[in-house]
Amino acid sequence: MEYQKNSKYFAQVAGSLEPIAALELQELGAADIQTTYRGISFSADEATLYRILYQTRICSRILAPLISFQCHSEKYLHKSAMQIDWTQFLDLKEKFAINSNVSNSKISNSMYAGQVLKDAICDVFREKFDARPDFDAKEADVRFNLHISENWANISIDLGGEPLHKRGYRKETVKAPLQETLAAAIIRLTLWNGEQMLYDPFCGSGTILTEAIMHYCRIPAGFLRKEWGIFRMPGFNKELWDKLKAAADNNIRDLPEGLLAGSDIAGVCVHASIGNCNTFSQGRNVVIKRLDYREIDELENMVIATNPPFGKRLYEGEAEKILKELGDFLKQKCQGSRAYVLVGSKELAFALRLRYKMNKLLKNGDIESRLLRIDLY
Ligand SMILES: C[S@@+](CC[C@H](N)C(=O)[O-])C[C@H]1O[C@@H](n2cnc3c(N)ncnc32)[C@H](O)[C@@H]1O
């Protein structure tokens, strides 16, 4: 298999997070880092790979490439996939799933391409056992990945299993939560290190606050996860995994009181925020209140990190007004603070009517959102 020959792996990331993910991978020890659209290829020895899997906050999936080839037809895809001994990755009794993605290629239908790969996997099993494993997109034990771009196919195995943004703390959700990986990227971009309080006045379900707890307390992103795709890989070294996990877990620290706080106008959001933060024992030191931000006396000398309504799924037609008022609030009541505001578009950035030091595109699904840094004097 390709990854066994060259120790090269591929990290999938949300669009616009590539440079932040590349930096994180470098910090975790990856080498030969090459950034592409929504992904990063890197090489890593076994220990580094385990560390990346357990700790990355920004990457969505880590893939181990099995085979890559020029691919102009479904027939050739099937034939090439039949060359892999799938029985080394999957048991007859296990369920599998395939994430497929196709662009600018003769094979143009992602779903159908996934179906062809599924058939090839089942055919390999039938030839050997006269039986095939079940396919289950939702509750799969093993996940494979098919990517075809410019007629070049890559088939990989997903070493995380479930996508890595699923940290395990989101018990309750609200209408427009931020994805965990995006909230983690925001926390990184604030450069918040715990010297000042961090406050989120539109905290929703508390994704920014919970990621801030994990960041400050050095809680590995995979801390709550029990299952990993890599556990089923041939040659998986459990002893090494346990040792590296224990080393990362030993680094976890407490959260001092008064370092993290937030509020939201909606009771249901406050409830969700408290529940999510309290998944971690450190969450008890986060103060979360039900409050219209306009009633807050002041947010001075702190880091403000927040995601007011974009006006898409929530507060339709009101986003501009909300941002105008937020601009006034920041100017009048937040002296000495550094505010990081995620807005849903360039136009909404203007509505704040404040000078910003940073205006960074951070895609939120298909929304071209921007993180603004505003220094308040
Ligand atoms: C886009 S959501 C925040 C989502 C959050 N980042 C998360 O991950 O769940 C915006 C939030 O602003 C809140 N909100 C709207 N107007 C507000 C106001 N005047 N004061 C405080 N919160 C407000 C809404 O209740 C909503 O939860």
Side-chain angles (χ1 to χ4, degrees), residues 169-170 172-180 183 186 200-209 263-270 272-273 276 289-296 305-311 313-315 318 322 325 342 364:
Y169 62 70
R170 199 182 282 292
E172 290 177 50
T173 192
V174 296
K175 257 197 184 149
L178 275 185
Q179 184 154 95
E180 294 81 344
I186 292 174
D200 181 355
F202 296 85
C203 70
S205 61
T207 320
I208 290 178
L209 294 174
S263 47
D264 197 284
I265 199 168
V268 61
C269 293
V270 171
S273 266
N276 292 338
K289 290 189 180 150
R290 181 175 181 183
L291 205 55
D292 183 330
Y293 83 90
R294 291 167 291 195
E295 289 164 16
I296 299 174
T306 198
N307 156 219
F310 285 170
R313 276 174 287 168
L314 273 175
Y315 295 87
E318 289 178 51
I322 292 176
E325 288 174 0
L342 188 74
N364 185 7

Side-chain angles (χ1 to χ4, degrees), residues 130 139 222 285 321 334 361:
D130 208 16
E139 307 240 323
N285 282 347
K321 181 172 170 277
C334 304
L361 176 71

Side-chain angles (χ1 to χ4, degrees), residues 84-334:
I84 295 177
D85 177 10
W86 296 97
T87 64
Q88 60 182 311
F89 303 113
L90 185 63
D91 244 32
L92 246 187
K93 285 190 213 101
E94 289 175 328
K95 290 178 262 180
F96 74 104
I98 294 168
N99 292 308
S100 55
N101 187 280
V102 167
S103 61
N104 303 331
S105 298
K106 283 203 173 145
I107 300 181
S108 57
N109 185 323
S110 297
M111 270 217 334
Y112 187 55
Q115 178 74 37
V116 172
L117 175 57
K118 176 188 151 193
D119 291 345
I121 295 173
C122 291
D123 289 345
V124 167
F125 270 88
R126 276 199 206 94
E127 275 181 6
K128 204 163 175 177
F129 303 114
D130 208 16
R132 46 154 285 192
D134 283 337
F135 185 85
D136 189 330
K138 280 202 179 129
E139 307 240 323
D141 300 299
V142 183
R143 288 175 189 273
F144 300 107
N145 198 284
L146 170 65
H147 183 257
I148 307 177
S149 175
E150 312 280 347
N151 299 310
W152 187 260
N154 284 287
I155 303 179
S156 330
I157 185 159
D158 190 331
L159 300 178
E162 286 274 301
L164 301 173
H165 76 263
K166 295 197 175 179
R167 314 273 204 242
Y169 62 70
R170 199 182 282 292
K171 304 203 171 62
E172 290 177 50
T173 192
V174 296
K175 257 197 184 149
L178 275 185
Q179 184 154 95
E180 294 81 344
T181 45
L182 182 55
I186 292 174
I187 296 294
R188 267 188 88 105
L189 289 166
T190 66
L191 306 176
W192 177 67
N193 57 9
E195 277 174 13
Q196 290 167 300
M197 176 187 259
L198 185 143
Y199 194 101
D200 181 355
F202 296 85
C203 70
S205 61
T207 320
I208 290 178
L209 294 174
T210 317
E211 289 296 326
I213 297 175
M214 295 184 85
H215 169 86
Y216 180 87
C217 301
R218 305 182 190 131
I219 300 171
F223 184 69
L224 298 171
R225 182 181 281 247
K226 301 272 179 301
E227 282 296 320
W228 299 82
I230 199 164
F231 290 178
R232 292 183 164 82
M233 293 292 280
F236 170 65
N237 185 339
K238 180 156 185 338
E239 208 177 308
L240 179 63
W241 175 273
D242 288 344
K243 188 174 136 205
L244 293 167
K245 180 179 181 319
D249 293 352
N250 281 336
N251 213 15
I252 293 176
R253 60 177 173 176
D254 289 339
L255 180 75
E257 277 180 33
L259 215 49
L260 269 177
S263 47
D264 197 284
I265 199 168
V268 61
C269 293
V270 171
H271 191 264
S273 266
I274 293 173
N276 292 338
C277 286
N278 282 354
T279 308
F280 302 105
S281 57
Q282 292 91 336
R284 276 183 243 120
N285 282 347
V286 183
V287 178
I288 302 171
K289 290 189 180 150
R290 181 175 181 183
L291 205 55
D292 183 330
Y293 83 90
R294 291 167 291 195
E295 289 164 16
I296 299 174
D297 291 340
E298 48 91 4
L299 294 178
E300 292 182 353
N301 303 313
M302 56 178 75
V303 173
I304 300 167
T306 198
N307 156 219
F310 285 170
K312 295 244 159 99
R313 276 174 287 168
L314 273 175
Y315 295 87
E316 268 183 52
E318 289 178 51
E320 204 174 317
K321 181 172 170 277
I322 292 176
L323 284 170
K324 262 189 194 148
E325 288 174 0
L326 177 64
D328 293 339
F329 174 84
L330 290 172
K331 219 177 336 180
Q332 290 157 15
K333 299 194 172 174
C334 304

Side-chain angles (χ1 to χ4, degrees), residues 5 54 60 65 133 162 204 246 266-267 300-301 319 355 372:
K5 282 188 215 138
Y54 189 50
S60 309
E162 286 274 301
E300 292 182 353
N301 303 313
R355 193 170 295 159
L372 310 176

